[in-house]
Amino acid sequence: MEISAKYNPSDIENKWYQHWLNQKYFRSVPDERPAYTIVIPPPNVTGVLHMGHMLNNTIQDVLIRRARKQGFNACWVPGTDHASIATEAKVVKLLAEQGIPKSSLTREEFLKHAFEWKEKYGGIILQQLQKLGASCDWDRTRFTMEPSLYEAVVDVFVDLYKKGLIYRGTKMVNWDPAGQTTLSDEEVIFKETPDQLYYVIYKGVDFDGELMVATARPETIAGDVAVCVNPNDERYQGLIGKKVMVPLINREVAIIADEYIDIEFGTGVLKVTPAHDINDYNIGLKYNLPVIDTLNADGSISEAGQLFVGQDRFIARKQWVKALKEAELLSKQENYVHNVGYSERTDAVVEPRISTQWFMNMQDFMKKNPEVLSSVMNDEINFYPSKLKNTYRHWMENVKDWNISRQLWWGHRIPAWYSTTGEWVVAKTADEAVIEFAKQGIVVAATDLTQDPDVLDTWFSSWLWPISVFDGIGEHADKTELNYYYPTNDLVTGPDILFFWVARMIMAGYEFEGKMPFKNVYFTGLIRDKQRRKMSKSLGNSPDALELIEKFGADSVRMGLLLCSPAGNDILFDETQIEQGRNFCNKIWNAFRLIQGWETKEGNPTKAADQAKTVMVSRLNNTLKEIEQLFKEFRLSDALMAIYKLIWDDFCAVYLEVIKPPYGEAISSITRKEAQDILQELMSLLHPYMPFISEEIVHLLTDGKSETLVLSAYPVKKTDSAEQSSTEALQLVTEIRNTRNTRGLSPKEVLNIWVPNAAKSILGLLDFVEKLANVRIHPDTDTKPLNGMPVIVGTHEIWVELHVEIDVAKEREELEKEKVYYDGFIASVRKKLENERFVQNAKPEVVDVERKKLSDATDKLLIIGKRLSQLQ
């Protein structure tokens, strides 16, 4: 069979992914095996694949593929989120382009358009994830507004309301004028914003003089109902209780006093506008002040604003400034930088707004479910990196009530029902609402009831995701699947939604199932460009994810992203990392072609080939042991690098180099079969990271007779008696190569070396070392050749014959440097081992490693001292 000279990822990747789908390899149903479960962080139906998605889903795929190969019943549940604000904005924009304003439609008509849009565009990102190689159980794809999940959200709302954890109240909330909906505190992003501070004159009514008020928002002056000073501010103590005139509005307001006022800020006088600032609102409540709302829902000036009615708030600000100047009521203005809240979804400046909304009582919820905090702090749920535990604790200990209602049509409609006379109840359906009204002695017909027009916060459905995807919510829910797959194992997400989603899923897990929703949370970092800027379309620094896959192949993209992605740390993306992935694919492909291209002959392997196999198997075992620990610590990037080095260095540069026959000669058929078997095992190890090339190579190696790598057993470490000898043999090769480089010796020149008889581990691999290092080994203890120099391997002194004169002074200088290094190293290790807390608290194997370090370093120091004495 002819093998392509070049690795062509596009043909191979499309072929294998379709094959995996056709064979249902990713399908999971409960059986006798232990479950391993991941639920995908559901991307918005509005989304398209970007770099963050690729990193996040590649990590999930590595975890799920590895678990599947380890014999777990691996279930990766995909799905999408309805994304209330973002989707409604998309649909409204689309309709506007067709000349259809939202206001011209009924709710039902609008939702029909929205669902049509969702059916057409909503699954794009999931299709794109398939290009990446994501091994989700696509038969399980869920959508947060599909009927059963919709019903689950309504059931939860009713349940929490009956428990007293949801209430309806009038409060100051965050208002998004662009989306025309409320936002939770977590959906408001604060940014340092350059602004102007205006010093406005308020003339005295019952006293001669005036007060100067510093404000950044002159457009809200019409809503002023008082001015406030600090009672301890001597400048204004005589004016407390007197009145001033609101500029341009000519309304008299009182001067009140409260210690909240910062004497040092501005002029020490605050305009009190309860409708437009949370602190003013609280002062208004305290002093029973009226509320004048000068802004409409869209951020324009309301009738109550009196001036510039209908103008956008920011245009009105300029007009207010102009009018104040003309009336000589603006003393001065100056540059001012302050934190301004922006909508996380629309990027509009958020307005404080007094509104009647639905809230979840978070303090009572946390009292009822203390495990929400303790499970994370006690590492029952593990965070990677663990530093985010403190962030989580701070939020949980200072959590505020969750505003869960949104003024939108796209979403889960709040199950509250209103009578024609204004009474209301919470119930799942209108018929159930009639029963609830009857309990209050109110007789109504279902047809006379009106359902609350608002929908629930998107996160109020997402927080149920690990439970609801298995249809585990509801009085009559069949919990067979939930009991098998829940709690899930690992969650991979970004730290930016730690509060939006992760914390709330933990809350839902303990409230509705009495246990954690997952055991581990792996937080990916934020992908930035080489200049450390956040990737965005506006900056033009965010590469098209699908174009990268098209250009380099999915395996190359997966590898490039993972090599630079330690948990929780930002990733500096550079396309050269993807090129490294492509180079690795080419390296593997060329190694495969080399092996397949060898002519074979009957006969036993050479001694060098036998020994090379011993070393390679030892290196494989050692890497498997290392990887096992790295996966326990979720150091997936380091695990991939270990596999990369195993294949590139140990297999290609060492093993194949030793076993390859001289040019034009055949190789033992046994040796070639061993090389094929080792390559097959390496591909199985690599498969979770790079599934396509690994599957293709194993298929070709075995003529299609092997089990798919998707399901075949993951390599496991075996008993390894050759670890030390392999390590020392490879170290000797490195030392000889270093000696050639420093002495300017040709790699083609055969060097004589004398290995002490005590170095049995090295002598047992004599042929391997001779071929790889191009040396002739003389087993001997005492010979020290003229013009020879020692190299230290482990605790052995090995002499290399040189055909150049040794510079004794330079040799001593180098040895003295090594002596200083080992003196310091030994001192630091001894200090650690003399620390009782370290010895008592560290794992025994960690302490053993430190003791081994001390022993080896001490032996090396003795050899250095011996060599120095020889150079006297």
Side-chain angles (χ1 to χ4, degrees):
M1 178 182 176
E2 188 176 345
I3 301 170
S4 170
K6 278 186 67 179
Y7 176 63
N8 298 309
S10 57
D11 295 342
I12 288 169
E13 290 171 0
N14 292 334
K15 173 187 74 175
W16 281 117
Y17 199 84
Q18 192 56 52
H19 173 75
W20 296 333
L21 290 181
N22 293 343
Q23 297 300 315
K24 298 281 188 182
Y25 288 152
F26 308 152
R27 182 74 177 123
S28 174
V29 293
D31 59 25
E32 70 283 354
R33 292 174 295 166
Y36 175 91
T37 317
I38 294 179
V39 291
I40 199 171
N44 293 348
V45 288
T46 58
V48 292
L49 194 66
H50 59 60
M51 300 299 288
H53 289 133
M54 287 213 295
L55 172 63
N56 182 293
N57 286 281
T58 296
I59 292 169
Q60 291 177 77
D61 197 40
V62 170
L63 293 170
I64 207 80
R65 284 181 181 271
R66 183 171 182 265
R68 192 181 286 122
K69 288 173 68 63
Q70 289 177 318
F72 290 95
N73 188 349
C75 180
W76 185 11
V77 182
T80 51
D81 189 281
H82 65 284
S84 291
I85 298 174
T87 305
E88 183 147 328
K90 284 258 188 190
V91 176
V92 168
K93 183 181 178 183
L94 181 68
L95 291 172
E97 290 169 357
Q98 299 170 9
I100 307 171
K102 179 186 173 185
S103 57
S104 70
L105 300 173
T106 65
R107 187 184 195 112
E108 289 69 27
E109 289 169 338
F110 177 82
L111 289 176
K112 184 173 181 291
H113 283 288
F115 272 107
E116 286 173 356
W117 182 92
K118 181 262 174 187
E119 289 305 314
K120 187 172 182 179
Y121 300 105
I124 288 176
I125 192 166
L126 297 183
Q127 295 165 15
Q128 292 173 331
L129 285 177
Q130 295 186 3
K131 287 284 185 186
L132 187 65
S135 61
C136 301
D137 181 351
W138 298 107
D139 292 338
R140 289 184 174 274
T141 303
R142 308 305 299 263
F143 173 53
T144 50
M145 272 179 61
E146 66 180 81
S148 63
L149 271 65
Y150 192 109
E151 184 178 359
V153 172
V154 173
D155 285 339
V156 163
F157 184 97
V158 174
D159 175 63
L160 292 175
Y161 176 78
K162 288 179 177 177
K163 292 174 179 174
L165 293 172
I166 285 179
Y167 65 92
R168 186 170 181 256
T170 301
K171 291 187 178 186
M172 179 159 276
V173 296
N174 304 303
W175 183 261
D176 178 351
Q180 293 200 36
T181 181
T182 57
L183 304 171
S184 67
D185 289 344
E186 291 72 39
E187 292 170 298
V188 179
I189 309 300
F190 284 92
K191 306 177 190 176
E192 276 203 347
T193 304
D195 223 327
Q196 292 283 300
L197 197 59
Y198 302 95
Y199 289 78
V200 182
I201 296 168
Y202 287 61
K203 292 188 177 294
V205 173
D206 50 1
F207 66 95
D208 291 330
E210 58 196 30
L211 286 181
M212 192 87 69
V213 177
T215 179
R217 303 203 60 191
E219 72 276 12
T220 64
I221 285 175
D224 291 357
V225 294
V227 293
C228 191
V229 299
N230 192 305
N232 301 312
D233 193 336
E234 295 178 357
R235 293 173 294 175
Y236 307 119
Q237 285 175 339
L239 298 178
I240 296 169
K242 296 188 180 297
K243 293 182 179 180
V244 292
M245 191 71 73
V246 176
L248 301 185
I249 299 301
N250 298 324
R251 178 172 63 246
E252 296 179 6
V253 295
I255 301 170
I256 62 175
D258 194 279
E259 290 189 345
Y260 162 76
I261 304 303
D262 182 356
I263 295 173
E264 302 299 324
F265 178 77
T267 61
V269 183
L270 175 78
K271 61 190 277 304
V272 182
T273 319
H276 302 297
D277 183 274
I278 183 62
N279 298 310
D280 292 14
Y281 176 69
N282 290 331
I283 290 174
L285 290 176
K286 186 174 180 179
Y287 295 97
N288 198 27
L289 299 174
V291 175
I292 302 173
D293 190 348
T294 64
L295 293 177
N296 293 316
D298 63 357
S300 62
I301 302 299
S302 68
E303 291 292 337
Q306 299 188 39
L307 301 178
F308 317 117
V309 173
Q311 294 288 343
D312 178 80
R313 53 190 167 153
F314 296 116
I315 295 172
R317 179 179 299 177
K318 294 176 181 177
Q319 292 174 328
W320 261 92
V321 171
K322 182 182 177 186
L324 287 168
K325 285 180 179 176
E326 290 172 352
E328 297 184 345
L329 293 174
L330 184 64
S331 174
K332 64 175 180 175
Q333 64 188 80
E334 61 188 23
N335 293 333
Y336 174 54
V337 177
H338 60 145
N339 274 328
V340 175
Y342 291 78
S343 168
E344 189 250 350
R345 290 293 182 197
T346 68
D347 204 39
V349 173
V350 171
E351 285 290 343
R353 184 177 177 87
I354 298 167
S355 180
T356 300
Q357 301 290 336
W358 292 90
F359 298 88
M360 188 160 139
N361 188 323
M362 298 294 282
Q363 288 78 17
D364 285 357
F365 188 100
M366 290 300 294
K367 286 176 187 173
K368 184 171 181 282
N369 297 281
E371 305 92 339
V372 171
L373 178 57
S374 64
S375 62
V376 172
M377 301 317 296
N378 298 336
D379 294 328
E380 293 165 45
I381 298 175
N382 297 292
F383 279 9
Y384 298 91
S386 59
K387 64 184 179 183
L388 287 170
K389 285 168 56 176
N390 289 330
T391 309
Y392 179 85
R393 178 177 61 188
H394 177 77
W395 188 75
M396 282 301 180
E397 290 177 346
N398 297 277
V399 69
K400 296 177 183 176
D401 284 1
W402 179 8
N403 174 7
I404 57 175
S405 49
R406 299 290 180 270
Q407 289 61 57
L408 301 165
W409 282 351
W410 177 249
H412 304 82
R413 196 168 179 181
I414 291 174
W417 305 84
Y418 300 84
S419 70
T420 54
T421 54
E423 293 92 349
W424 57 270
V425 296
V426 168
K428 188 171 181 177
T429 64
D431 289 336
E432 290 180 19
V434 169
I435 297 170
E436 292 300 318
F437 273 115
K439 291 177 182 176
Q440 299 177 22
I442 302 171
V443 178
V444 293
T447 52
D448 294 332
L449 298 178
T450 303
Q451 188 174 356
D452 196 305
D454 290 353
V455 300
L456 287 157
D457 179 9
T458 294
W459 300 103
F460 195 84
S461 57
S462 302
W463 77 321
L464 306 174
W465 188 246
I467 306 172
S468 62
V469 295
F470 298 114
D471 294 319
I473 289 176
E475 188 178 346
H476 305 293
D478 179 355
K479 295 201 172 189
T480 303
E481 287 213 331
L482 185 72
N483 292 337
Y484 180 75
Y485 290 114
Y486 186 95
T488 67
N489 293 74
D490 302 321
L491 176 74
V492 182
T493 188
D496 53 326
I497 54 174
L498 172 57
F499 310 129
F500 285 127
W501 194 46
V502 178
R504 288 169 179 162
M505 282 191 289
I506 296 172
M507 290 165 54
Y510 282 107
E511 173 65 24
F512 302 113
E513 286 301 310
K515 50 191 171 186
M516 67 185 82
F518 29 71
K519 300 179 183 73
N520 303 295
V521 185
Y522 178 103
F523 292 99
T524 63
L526 188 67
I527 300 183
R528 298 183 180 275
D529 65 13
K530 288 186 289 186
Q531 300 173 46
R532 296 188 175 273
R533 299 176 303 174
K534 184 177 179 180
M535 286 191 168
S536 69
K537 288 181 182 176
S538 60
L539 288 174
N541 64 347
S542 181
D544 184 291
L546 289 179
E547 284 182 7
L548 282 176
I549 292 174
E550 186 69 28
K551 181 178 178 182
F552 295 102
D555 282 336
S556 301
V557 173
R558 289 164 66 112
M559 177 183 171
L561 282 172
L562 283 172
L563 279 180
C564 57
S565 57
N569 294 335
D570 284 353
I571 295 123
L572 301 183
F573 176 77
D574 185 347
E575 201 167 287
T576 56
Q577 294 153 349
I578 310 297
E579 290 172 3
Q580 185 181 0
R582 180 175 62 185
N583 293 342
F584 188 45
C585 285
N586 289 335
K587 185 77 171 179
I588 296 169
W589 189 254
N590 288 336
F592 162 66
R593 289 182 64 241
L594 176 69
I595 295 169
Q596 297 301 92
W598 284 333
E599 294 292 330
T600 61
K601 63 183 180 182
E602 295 302 313
N604 292 324
T606 64
K607 285 185 179 180
D610 260 345
Q611 293 168 14
K613 179 189 173 186
T614 299
V615 173
M616 186 63 220
V617 170
S618 176
R619 292 296 303 129
L620 174 59
N621 268 318
N622 194 55
T623 303
L624 285 169
K625 184 169 70 173
E626 180 185 359
I627 288 170
E628 187 176 333
Q629 184 58 37
L630 290 171
F631 266 88
K632 286 178 183 175
E633 299 168 5
F634 279 79
R635 292 166 57 191
L636 273 61
S637 176
D638 293 335
L640 175 56
M641 180 53 76
I643 298 171
Y644 173 86
K645 289 179 178 177
L646 178 69
I647 294 172
W648 192 291
D649 297 340
D650 295 302
F651 183 71
C652 295
V654 174
Y655 177 69
L656 293 184
E657 189 65 27
V658 172
I659 69 167
K660 74 179 181 183
Y663 181 74
E665 294 186 20
I667 192 172
S668 161
S669 57
I670 297 172
T671 300
R672 193 179 86 149
K673 180 65 171 65
E674 289 171 346
Q676 290 171 329
D677 290 345
I678 290 171
L679 180 57
Q680 185 171 345
E681 191 154 17
L682 291 174
M683 291 303 95
S684 185
L685 182 61
L686 180 66
H687 181 77
Y689 287 98
M690 303 174 76
F692 296 108
I693 190 171
S694 55
E695 185 79 288
E696 175 72 3
I697 284 178
V698 168
H699 178 77
L700 294 175
L701 277 172
T702 61
D703 295 324
K705 296 173 184 175
S706 64
E707 184 181 15
T708 173
L709 286 184
V710 176
L711 303 178
S712 67
Y714 190 73
V716 293
K717 63 180 186 292
K718 304 172 182 69
T719 303
D720 181 12
S721 59
E723 182 176 354
Q724 182 180 348
S725 58
S726 299
T727 301
E728 291 187 347
L730 289 169
Q731 187 186 346
L732 175 56
V733 172
T734 300
E735 292 291 346
I736 292 168
R737 287 174 175 173
N738 289 342
T739 300
R740 288 184 190 274
N741 290 335
T742 56
R743 304 291 174 179
L745 301 174
S746 168
K748 294 181 180 179
E749 180 183 350
V750 179
L751 298 180
N752 289 299
I753 66 172
W754 281 262
V755 177
N757 291 321
K760 290 183 170 50
S761 58
I762 295 174
L763 292 174
L765 297 172
L766 181 147
D767 300 272
F768 167 81
V769 174
E770 285 190 335
K771 183 162 186 183
L772 192 59
N774 194 21
V775 296
R776 185 173 296 110
I777 294 178
H778 304 278
D780 197 339
T781 304
D782 300 321
T783 301
K784 295 178 179 59
L786 293 173
N787 285 337
M789 67 165 288
V791 294
I792 299 166
V793 176
T795 58
H796 305 299
E797 186 181 61
I798 294 167
W799 283 82
V800 181
E801 183 179 41
L802 304 176
H803 300 297
V804 293
E805 190 173 342
I806 295 173
D807 184 334
V808 175
K810 188 174 181 181
E811 189 76 12
R812 281 192 62 83
E813 184 183 345
E814 292 298 322
L815 287 167
E816 290 288 358
K817 284 181 185 176
E818 281 195 69
K819 183 175 182 301
V820 169
Y821 167 78
Y822 279 108
D823 280 336
F825 181 78
I826 288 169
S828 68
V829 176
R830 275 188 178 144
K831 186 176 180 182
K832 189 181 286 188
L833 290 170
E834 287 167 1
N835 183 335
E836 288 185 15
R837 287 182 62 189
F838 168 74
V839 175
Q840 289 172 1
N841 297 327
K843 293 179 180 177
E845 57 267 30
V846 173
V847 177
D848 288 343
V849 166
E850 293 301 316
R851 286 176 175 149
K852 179 80 166 53
K853 284 180 187 177
L854 180 61
S855 173
D856 290 349
T858 303
D859 288 343
K860 285 185 179 181
L861 195 59
L862 288 172
I863 292 171
I864 290 170
K866 182 180 174 185
R867 176 61 178 153
L868 281 169
S869 66
Q870 292 168 348
L871 292 172
Q872 293 291 350

